[in-house]
Amino acid sequence: MHRILLIFLCLAAQAAVAGTPVPFDSPRWKFYGKTTVPEIRMGKNALRLNQGSAVLADANFTNGTISFDISIRQARYFPSIRFRIQGQDDFEEFYIRPHQSGNPDAMQYMPVYHGLGGWQLYYGPGFTNAAPLPFDRWLHVTIVVNDRQAEVFFDDHPEPVLFISKLKRSPAAGMIALTNLAPEDAWYANVSVTPENGLPIKSKPLPISPLPAGTIAGWEVSSPFPEKLLASETRLSSALHAMLSWEKLAADEMGIADLSILHGITKDTNTVFVKTVIHADRDTVRKFAFGFSDRARLFLNGKLLYAGADNFMSRDYRFLGTIGYFDAVWLDLKKGQNEVWIAVSEDFGGWGVKARLE
């Protein structure tokens, strides 16, 4: 009996510690970047971040609650919190856009693979939402995480400001980080982490509609190569074929294949081919609608049909470079097997492709 009581008291003590804010003078925090300054901000012991990060390296967080206070200015920047961090380049991230307060993209969730944040791929319900963001006062943020879902709450409002219906990365214990990489100040205070499995999620996901007929549900993806190799190519050469290796990648429930799941980019290698085979019972012409981020060159049976750009502000100053069925070609299919290859090149914001044969 005494042993059971002792175990209970120990567990209760651990829970109390877990829910207690971690002060910024604790050795548990590791600081990186230009400005990570502890200071008093509007009566609270705060950390000012400016082009810096604070990492709770021993968080070992998979499920539970993360809460913190944040104070922001009315400026264009992206203060964030990262969780389930597996390494410098792989994590889940929630961030706010002070300059978009009240707009549909005032906040956003995105997964990060190989250092590439996918905000141009993952937007709309489940990823972004509108909310007013207060300036020069403390905003209390609570994030409840349960396996592949999460909810974000502001202040003491009972309803979430964002329901993340599907966290894209597989659940795995990891670090937590406060991050502000912009040259503008953001302050954090009262950061607490409470690990707990099975927390209830109030929101209910909408039914997932099946992908429209003709959607490309999976691709073969090549090894990365320099975009400049295709600058003057109108036909695929045997030399290019020989230099590539291939992996399979499935599209998600939105039809998007996130290429950063397989590869990151470097200064010299920012392009991959995705390819699919289309079988035609006879010679025919079919419309092929597709979307990509950031640039694409489409080849049918080795011949170039299309080259275009959908990167940030490429269409007009309001275009964010988000992925959608914004482009199409008419494929002159021959009876039998036809190969569609799309070279997809990336700068930042999301490396992806989607397509359907209409």
Side-chain angles (χ1 to χ4, degrees):
M1 184 68 180
H2 291 294
R3 183 179 180 185
I4 294 174
L5 179 60
L6 180 61
I7 292 173
F8 174 80
L9 291 174
C10 288
L11 290 174
Q14 290 174 3
V17 170
T20 302
V22 183
F24 291 116
D25 59 0
S26 167
R28 296 180 61 192
W29 289 106
K30 309 299 179 188
F31 302 104
Y32 304 93
K34 181 179 178 182
T35 303
T36 56
V37 179
E39 61 186 28
I40 302 298
R41 169 75 168 172
M42 291 184 289
K44 294 189 178 185
N45 292 316
L47 179 72
R48 177 164 58 92
L49 289 183
N50 186 312
Q51 301 175 78
S53 296
V55 179
L56 199 60
D58 64 351
N60 198 36
F61 179 85
T62 305
N63 295 320
T65 302
I66 305 168
S67 66
F68 59 95
D69 298 325
I70 187 169
S71 174
I72 56 175
R73 288 176 170 162
Q74 191 170 5
R76 185 181 183 276
Y77 63 133
F78 313 92
S80 78
I81 184 160
R82 299 171 176 178
F83 57 98
R84 292 180 176 172
I85 300 172
Q86 302 302 298
Q88 182 177 347
D89 295 331
D90 295 279
F91 46 87
E92 307 278 26
E93 184 166 20
F94 169 78
Y95 64 98
I96 56 177
R97 294 182 173 98
H99 57 293
Q100 296 293 351
S101 176
N103 291 333
D105 56 349
M107 66 190 71
Q108 187 155 13
Y109 153 72
M110 68 177 180
V112 177
Y113 302 95
H114 291 102
L116 287 172
W119 59 271
Q120 292 175 325
L121 310 184
Y122 306 109
Y123 60 94
F127 304 103
T128 57
N129 201 17
L133 301 173
F135 305 117
D136 297 313
R137 79 156 172 88
W138 286 111
L139 171 67
H140 186 66
V141 180
T142 302
I143 304 175
V144 178
V145 182
N146 185 7
D147 291 337
R148 298 303 287 262
Q149 295 183 332
E151 289 177 315
V152 181
F153 297 84
F154 281 178
D155 290 330
D156 57 355
H157 297 296
E159 298 302 319
V161 293
L162 180 64
F163 170 44
I164 304 169
S165 54
K166 185 177 181 181
L167 292 161
K168 303 300 289 187
R169 296 180 56 89
S170 297
M175 299 175 284
I176 289 172
L178 314 172
T179 302
N180 175 31
L181 301 181
E184 180 60 70
D185 291 332
W187 292 263
Y188 294 82
N190 294 327
V191 181
S192 66
V193 179
T194 307
E196 185 176 354
N197 290 319
L199 286 177
I201 298 294
K202 298 173 61 175
S203 307
K204 302 299 180 185
L206 296 174
I208 298 175
S209 301
L211 292 173
T215 300
I216 308 302
W219 303 84
E220 288 189 68
V221 181
S222 79
S223 47
F225 59 91
E227 182 179 9
K228 63 185 180 181
L229 288 184
L230 299 177
S232 58
E233 296 297 319
T234 58
R235 289 189 177 274
L236 297 176
S237 66
S238 56
L240 185 61
H241 279 254
M243 66 176 278
L244 301 174
S245 58
W246 298 87
E247 298 178 76
K248 294 185 182 297
L249 179 64
D252 67 10
E253 67 278 1
M254 300 179 293
I256 297 171
D258 186 341
L259 303 173
S260 68
I261 293 173
L262 297 182
H263 304 291
I265 64 171
T266 69
K267 180 181 178 181
D268 297 320
T269 56
N270 69 330
T271 303
V272 295
F273 273 115
V274 299
K275 70 177 178 179
T276 188
V277 175
I278 299 173
H279 179 81
D281 295 329
R282 56 184 172 81
D283 289 359
T284 186
V285 176
R286 299 282 297 279
K287 184 180 180 181
F288 188 77
F290 60 104
F292 54 88
S293 177
D294 286 319
R295 291 174 299 285
R297 299 171 71 87
L298 186 148
F299 296 78
L300 173 64
N301 297 327
K303 182 180 178 181
L304 180 66
L305 293 187
Y306 169 96
D310 276 343
N311 46 298
F312 183 67
M313 297 179 67
S314 60
R315 293 174 178 264
D316 60 48
Y317 73 95
R318 296 161 296 182
F319 181 61
L320 298 177
T322 48
I323 195 170
Y325 287 116
F326 304 139
D327 297 86
V329 294
W330 292 88
L331 300 180
D332 185 7
L333 301 175
K334 304 306 179 185
K335 182 178 180 179
Q337 303 290 85
N338 297 265
E339 287 196 356
V340 174
W341 290 38
I342 307 175
V344 186
S345 303
E346 169 67 356
D347 290 334
F348 68 93
W351 195 11
V353 65
K354 62 189 300 186
R356 64 172 181 244
L357 187 67
E358 297 187 357

